[in-house]
Amino acid sequence: MMKIIEHDGSIKEYDEKDPYVLSTLRHTASHVMAQAVKNLYPNAKLAIGPSIDTGFYYDIDFGEETLSEADLAKIESEMKKIVKKCLPLERFTLPREEALRFMEERQEPYKVELIEDLPEGEEISFFKQGEFTDLCAGPHVVNTKQVGKAFKLMSLAGAYWRGSEKNKMLTRIYGTAFLTKEELEEYLHMLEEAKRRDHRKLGKELGLFMMNDAGPGFPFFLPNGMKLRNALMEYWREIHAQNDYVEISTPVILNRKLWETSGHWDHYQENMYTTVIDGEDYAIKPMNCPGSILVYQNEPRSYRDLPLRMAECGLVHRHEKSGQLHGLMRVRCFTQDDAHIFITPEQIEDEITKIAGMIDQVYQMFGFKYYVELSTRPENSMGSDEDWAMAEDGLRNALERIGLPYIVNEGDGAFYGPKIDFHLQDSIGRTWQCGTIQLDFQLPQRFDLEYMGADGLKHRPIMLHRVCYGSVERFIGILIEHFAGAFPTWLAPVQVKIIPISDKTLDYGHKVLAALKDAGIRAELDDRSEKMGFKIREAQMKKIPYMLVVGPKEAEEGKVAVRSRFAGDEGARALETFIADIQKEIADRSIREEVKEEKKDGAQ
């Protein structure tokens, strides 16, 4: 159990497994770090220091002094001294005016500014540990020793005060903290593994995609990346056909009136790129849904047409700040694998059940585990309370009918409706929000959509917005890191590399290449004048699933010597047998387990 000083100063005990405990511990660690900084740099001015999902940070103004990564060890050492002293944390409050004088006397201008933003007459909360006092609402653990020895300062970054480019750039010190050393070591190992798997690094090494200053945030897919992408989209089209979707394509640019009707102009304009055509305002679409609505309106609809499942891999553009761009994970243009499904009220639960089953099938294909969140009405929303209640109940009832466990994420729905979000977990334990199902009463109303019911009267359809991959670009980035670039054979840009032992077997190598290509297998022939060992190692570095070594004996017998990422040396096999085996592996979209490093080394 862990004792925590709550926001009101009361002390409560919590099970250490409660996420609240770790968040509170990290918040206290940020105060310990701030105290260490003030001990070492007395003229430093403190801004804010919250806990975050990965640890904590503190934004600090060091004035003319410049910190480097090397200084983090010194600050961390000072933190350990503070922890060892087991200083109790004490909460106290002051009236607003006294609190202002208190921080002014300590020459903490950022704290003064924060207090000035608080209402008059409000009691201001502080936390004290030893000689160090900080403006803070809490909560905190009861003493510095509880921060323990499982903490580490990670990095430095720049951060504008209050996130505005008009304000001063501060130094942000990132750190992390855990309850045990083992958890910290596991986290640090995960970070090292994440560096090894970084999709930006692997994307360059494997020739998958590139970025260029001519278009910051606009990715370029290279030939190998297009092979991967096309394999991914072939599966997407296959599974959508199986689930009775029709595929459409809608324009990238549509006029302002459409976006005003949809609500995007009022709720999303700051993220939209606009232009003027023939004297009228137009916008490059940030979302595909209004285009799907126009397709729905193109002809009269009957209840017999519903559910009408329209899928679109549409290119969308959204303005992101330059500092937020990150490889394929955060871009300014991406392909959204959308579907917009028009249903009757009676079809809500059945359709959501089918969609959830389809998303589950997709994620299992790639070996992802996932958890589900129900995101409810945000502050910036449109529509009546009744519609929102009905929409949220529809999603909740469907989840409970499926028996799918979920957690509620209050206020994180789309502005037009609540949603179910699927957070998948990759091979090193990180989570990514990808799939989503959004239930929408608003857009059908705003566009006056209708269908003819069995009673001969006009009715309003309900609209479901749904993605599986989410952003195709981002999903590819996730796959690169999930598989560390070693894709399953069906996704690999190059599935087979043919390696002749010498020039004498080049002709047979070309015959093997032709046979593989005729069988629909993505293959290449390495005909360079390099040693065979060099060619094999390079193919391994490129993470190619299969290498076929061909020499005089293989040429004479019509065989290939098979080496793979999965089992090392697999021995000689008739070419026809190998083709049949790999075709089945590709068709099944199976994921073979990777060979252990020590075994691979031995196979070399």
Side-chain angles (χ1 to χ4, degrees):
M1 301 297 286
M2 178 77 79
K3 290 183 178 181
I4 288 177
I5 307 172
E6 300 286 5
H7 299 280
D8 61 1
S10 63
I11 297 177
K12 296 180 182 177
E13 287 192 349
Y14 291 85
D15 189 312
E16 289 188 351
K17 294 180 181 178
D18 190 325
Y20 182 62
V21 170
L22 182 57
S23 175
T24 303
L25 178 83
R26 288 170 168 173
H27 187 190
T28 306
S30 78
H31 276 231
V32 171
M33 181 177 75
Q35 183 176 5
V37 166
K38 292 293 283 186
N39 289 350
L40 297 169
Y41 307 92
N43 294 325
K45 310 301 179 188
L46 303 177
I48 56 171
S51 65
I52 54 176
D53 288 344
T54 56
F56 59 90
Y57 70 80
Y58 217 116
D59 289 345
I60 302 170
D61 183 352
F62 284 91
E64 300 300 317
E65 190 133 18
T66 302
L67 248 64
S68 70
E69 298 282 346
D71 294 312
L72 296 182
K74 181 171 63 174
I75 298 171
E76 194 174 300
S77 178
E78 185 67 19
M79 287 176 68
K80 290 176 182 177
K81 294 176 184 176
I82 296 167
V83 166
K84 193 174 182 180
K85 290 178 180 178
C86 192
L87 300 174
L89 275 90
E90 304 169 22
R91 179 183 181 273
F92 66 92
T93 62
L94 293 173
R96 184 175 179 275
E97 293 307 313
E98 285 188 39
L100 280 170
R101 287 195 296 272
F102 186 74
M103 284 289 101
E104 286 168 351
E105 289 169 1
R106 282 159 178 74
Q107 298 181 6
E108 294 288 358
Y110 301 100
K111 304 294 183 182
V112 169
E113 187 175 331
L114 290 171
I115 295 170
E116 286 175 339
D117 288 344
L118 298 174
E120 290 188 17
E122 185 166 317
E123 287 285 314
I124 310 300
S125 172
F126 294 85
F127 275 82
K128 181 178 186 295
Q129 58 200 50
E131 297 178 354
F132 176 75
T133 301
D134 202 356
L135 173 71
C136 183
H140 284 287
V141 296
V142 297
N143 61 62
T144 59
K145 191 172 184 179
Q146 286 185 304
V147 172
K149 299 179 181 179
F151 63 85
K152 185 172 179 59
L153 300 187
M154 305 298 296
S155 62
L156 295 173
Y160 289 109
W161 169 233
R162 294 192 152 180
S164 172
E165 296 174 3
K166 297 178 182 178
N167 294 333
K168 185 173 183 179
M169 175 74 78
L170 307 178
T171 299
R172 177 170 292 180
I173 304 177
Y174 282 102
T176 193
F178 289 87
L179 291 165
T180 67
K181 281 186 176 181
E182 290 74 21
E183 289 173 313
L184 174 62
E185 288 170 2
E186 183 180 339
Y187 174 73
L188 295 177
H189 173 73
M190 185 273 288
L191 289 182
E192 287 302 313
E193 186 65 13
K195 286 181 185 177
R196 186 178 74 85
R197 294 168 178 263
D198 191 319
H199 76 284
R200 295 166 299 178
K201 169 179 169 288
L202 290 172
K204 184 176 182 179
E205 292 174 358
L206 302 178
L208 301 176
F209 70 93
M210 60 172 269
M211 296 293 185
N212 191 281
D213 289 342
F218 301 94
F220 294 70
F221 275 86
L222 304 177
N224 277 350
M226 284 306 299
K227 292 174 185 177
L228 166 63
R229 184 184 181 119
N230 288 339
L232 202 60
M233 297 318 300
E234 181 182 338
Y235 171 59
W236 184 90
R237 289 190 166 89
E238 180 182 306
I239 197 169
H240 280 74
Q242 291 170 359
N243 285 273
D244 299 319
Y245 286 77
V246 294
E247 187 174 358
I248 64 171
S249 177
T250 63
V252 172
I253 300 178
L254 295 165
N255 69 27
R256 172 176 173 170
K257 293 176 183 176
L258 178 79
W259 301 111
E260 287 177 336
T261 302
S262 71
H264 289 89
W265 197 266
D266 292 333
H267 293 268
Y268 207 74
Q269 185 183 353
E270 64 182 20
N271 295 100
M272 297 167 68
Y273 295 109
T274 59
T275 187
V276 176
I277 302 174
D278 295 335
E280 288 189 41
D281 290 333
Y282 281 72
I284 301 174
K285 64 178 178 181
M287 297 177 188
N288 296 307
C289 32
S292 294
I293 288 172
L294 296 182
V295 173
Y296 181 91
Q297 288 179 319
N298 186 52
E299 58 184 272
R301 304 292 179 180
S302 160
Y303 72 96
R304 291 189 178 92
D305 299 322
L306 308 183
L308 176 57
R309 306 179 182 98
M310 295 193 296
E312 176 180 16
C313 283
L315 183 65
V316 299
H317 291 71
R318 299 179 186 177
H319 178 63
E320 301 283 357
K321 292 182 179 179
S322 58
Q324 295 174 322
L325 301 176
H326 181 76
L328 295 178
M329 302 303 195
R330 197 73 177 263
V331 291
R332 287 174 169 156
C333 77
F334 56 92
T335 304
Q336 188 91 337
D337 78 313
D338 270 321
H340 297 99
I341 304 161
F342 300 89
I343 59 174
T344 69
E346 297 77 22
Q347 294 169 335
I348 290 176
E349 292 186 24
D350 282 344
E351 196 59 29
I352 291 173
T353 300
K354 289 176 182 177
I355 296 170
M358 180 178 170
I359 292 175
D360 176 76
Q361 183 180 348
V362 170
Y363 289 171
Q364 286 202 33
M365 171 66 66
F366 299 101
F368 288 125
K369 297 178 182 177
Y370 64 87
Y371 72 91
V372 173
E373 284 185 351
L374 172 60
S375 298
T376 59
R377 186 177 189 174
E379 289 184 13
N380 178 28
S381 64
M382 61 184 188
S384 68
D385 293 343
E386 293 78 12
D387 284 346
W388 273 89
M390 188 184 303
E392 289 177 4
D393 286 344
L395 293 182
R396 188 178 288 106
N397 291 341
L399 286 171
E400 290 173 359
R401 173 181 167 184
I402 300 166
L404 197 59
Y406 66 94
I407 58 177
V408 176
N409 187 5
E410 295 287 354
D412 200 43
F415 68 83
Y416 48 77
K419 59 180 180 170
I420 297 170
D421 288 328
F422 293 76
H423 296 259
L424 57 84
Q425 182 178 340
D426 68 15
S427 58
I428 58 173
R430 298 169 301 180
T431 57
W432 309 88
Q433 193 275 307
C434 291
T436 187
I437 306 170
Q438 300 174 0
L439 183 56
D440 183 3
F441 288 84
Q442 308 307 320
L443 291 184
Q445 289 179 13
R446 294 175 77 92
F447 282 91
D448 196 25
L449 301 187
E450 57 187 34
Y451 65 90
M452 190 66 69
D455 56 5
L457 300 176
K458 292 180 179 180
H459 297 268
R460 182 88 65 209
I462 295 167
M463 187 175 181
L464 291 173
H465 307 246
R466 185 242 67 194
V467 297
C468 286
Y469 295 154
S471 156
V472 173
E473 286 75 5
R474 184 168 177 264
F475 195 76
I476 288 172
I478 293 167
L479 286 179
I480 293 170
E481 298 194 358
H482 178 61
F483 291 115
F487 301 108
T489 304
W490 71 275
L491 273 180
V494 179
Q495 295 164 326
V496 178
K497 179 77 79 171
I498 304 158
I499 302 175
I501 288 179
S502 68
D503 291 347
K504 295 178 181 179
T505 52
L506 267 179
D507 287 345
Y508 180 61
H510 281 289
K511 289 180 181 178
V512 172
L513 177 64
L516 291 170
K517 287 188 172 182
D518 288 345
I521 297 162
R522 296 189 290 274
E524 292 180 351
L525 173 69
D526 191 339
D527 58 1
R528 296 174 299 168
S529 298
E530 298 284 355
K531 291 183 179 179
M532 189 179 71
F534 175 84
K535 294 180 181 181
I536 290 173
R537 284 191 295 275
E538 187 175 84
Q540 289 173 333
M541 292 294 292
K542 294 293 183 183
K543 304 179 188 296
I544 296 170
Y546 291 96
M547 291 160 275
L548 302 183
V549 180
V550 293
K553 184 178 180 181
E554 286 78 21
E556 184 180 342
E557 297 177 355
K559 293 184 176 181
V560 288
V562 182
R563 299 174 66 89
S564 75
R565 272 197 346 241
F566 317 107
D569 187 354
E570 295 190 9
R573 211 179 306 175
L575 177 59
E576 294 80 3
T577 303
F578 173 78
I579 289 174
D581 290 344
I582 193 173
Q583 281 180 322
K584 184 177 187 307
E585 183 181 334
I586 293 168
D588 292 344
R589 296 191 174 93
S590 56
I591 300 177
R592 292 187 67 183
E593 187 176 344
E594 292 292 308
V595 67
K596 302 295 182 185
E597 287 298 324
E598 57 267 26
K599 185 176 180 181
K600 185 187 290 183
D601 291 341
Q604 290 177 5

